[in-house]
Amino acid sequence: MAYAANEMSPEAIAERTKPVGSVYTAADLEGIVDTAAAGSSDEPAEPRSGDAVFNAACSACHATGAAGAPIKGDADAWGPRIAKGRDTLLNHALNGFNAMPPRGACGNCSDEEIAHAVDYMIDAI
């Protein structure tokens, strides 16, 4: 049943039109998020391991098969892909392929970290 705005209380209108989420900027998170530069600004942070990148970014699809992604450890699904060579797999991971977006949607992953994730999935076969 539809209601006209003048038939609803101000509280009911506020409840129906409240935001569904929040947006935070870096300034909002200052002092909360541990950044890589916290230890020393002269030394770069170590790249994340393949396991860490997989769990943070890749597993959403490669652990579930979402959007047709080959599941980590599925030799039948990965075999033909691995046969094309690691360089092809890395290129697809970095630049996107089929339903997978570039970098697997991991915008904060370095090329080296993406390579670690590719190697981690290959090694699972």
Side-chain angles (χ1 to χ4, degrees), residues 14-121:
E15 178 63 26
R16 289 190 62 169
T17 60
K18 71 181 180 182
V20 295
S22 301
V23 176
Y24 296 97
T25 65
D28 296 326
L29 300 175
E30 190 173 318
I32 297 173
V33 177
D34 182 20
T35 64
S40 170
S41 60
D42 297 334
E43 296 181 32
E46 289 292 318
R48 291 174 284 181
S49 68
D51 181 35
V53 173
F54 176 84
N55 288 320
C58 310
S59 64
C61 296
H62 288 288
T64 65
I71 295 175
K72 179 182 139 274
D74 182 345
D76 291 336
W78 279 99
R81 291 167 169 89
I82 292 171
K84 294 179 182 179
R86 180 186 180 275
D87 290 342
T88 298
L89 288 173
L90 182 56
N91 180 47
H92 290 169
L94 291 170
N95 299 306
F97 187 73
N98 292 333
M100 186 175 79
R103 310 185 89 64
C106 185
N108 68 348
C109 288
S110 69
D111 289 359
E112 183 177 6
E113 290 172 330
I114 297 289
H116 288 174
V118 168
D119 292 339
Y120 175 76
M121 287 188 270

